[in-house]
């Protein structure tokens, strides 16, 4: 299980540049990210190399941040593997709130980062089904 940082940012020109610049200056690596926007604000969800420090620094800079547990499932880079993962969750009556892509820098394999209710139980379910979690 990983800690994800959710950052609430004003939907304006340069907002992402500001966030990434702050993380760059602090030498915090972004390992995976997805952004959802609305008219005024967006939510930037990131898996980073130091989530606690990331929240600390961005909060000091005026951003509203939150840490959330997410699952990271390593899959082979083959057609249909995301579908296979989602089907296994569906068969177990598990809803996926959102999913985004990262990759394992050591193995080079894709990692599907996903958010569900009850991640501890979902983690056990996926392990029982033979999936490899990071």
């Amino acid at each position: 299980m990983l800690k994800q940082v959710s950052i609430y940012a004003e939907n304006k020109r340069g907002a992402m540049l500001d966030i990434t610049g702050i993380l760059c200056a602090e030498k915090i690596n972004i390992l995976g990210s997805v952004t959802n926007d609305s008219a005024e604000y967006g939510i930037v969800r990131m898996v980073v190399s130091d989530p606690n420090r990331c929240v600390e620094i961005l909060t000091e800079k005026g951003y509203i941040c939150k840490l959330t547990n997410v699952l990271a499932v390593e899959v082979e880079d083959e057609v249909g593997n995301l579908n296979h993962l989602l089907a296994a969750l569906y068969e177990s009556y598990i809803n996926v709130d959102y999913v985004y892509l990262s990759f394992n820098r050591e193995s080079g394999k894709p990692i599907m980062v996903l958010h569900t209710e009850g991640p501890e139980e979902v983690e056990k379910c996926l392990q029982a089904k033979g999936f490899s979690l990071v």
Side-chain angles (χ1 to χ4, degrees):
M1 192 160 330
L2 297 176
K3 292 284 185 192
Q4 170 189 271
V5 179
S6 296
I7 307 154
Y8 299 86
E10 192 173 355
N11 193 2
K12 66 178 185 178
R13 183 174 183 264
M16 283 296 293
L17 177 63
D18 187 49
I19 292 168
T20 59
I22 292 166
L23 298 182
C24 180
E26 293 295 322
K27 300 194 181 336
I28 296 173
N29 194 14
I30 300 168
L31 306 172
S33 177
V34 65
T35 304
N36 300 24
D37 71 336
S38 65
E40 295 180 18
Y41 282 88
I43 301 173
V44 181
R45 294 182 171 106
M46 294 182 172
V47 176
V48 298
S49 58
D50 190 343
N52 293 320
R53 180 81 177 128
C54 178
V55 168
E56 180 184 332
I57 293 299
L58 289 175
T59 300
E60 287 174 6
K61 298 289 186 179
Y63 289 95
I64 298 169
C65 301
K66 175 177 125 177
L67 285 176
T68 306
N69 288 330
V70 291
L71 298 169
V73 184
E74 186 176 76
V75 295
E76 294 294 326
D77 188 8
E78 298 172 353
V79 172
N81 273 340
L82 175 57
N83 181 260
H84 180 66
L85 170 61
L86 294 174
L89 293 167
Y90 180 82
E91 290 166 2
S92 298
Y93 300 96
I94 297 167
N95 184 49
V96 176
D97 298 320
Y98 54 84
V99 62
Y100 57 96
L101 180 66
S102 183
F103 69 95
N104 184 325
R105 277 130 176 93
E106 292 175 18
S107 70
K109 293 181 182 179
I111 294 176
M112 303 312 304
V113 178
L114 52 101
H115 182 267
T116 65
E117 290 294 320
E120 294 83 8
E121 293 81 21
V122 175
E123 184 174 47
K124 291 175 188 170
C125 173
L126 288 172
Q127 288 172 333
K129 291 179 176 276
F131 287 94
S132 177
L133 282 92
V134 178

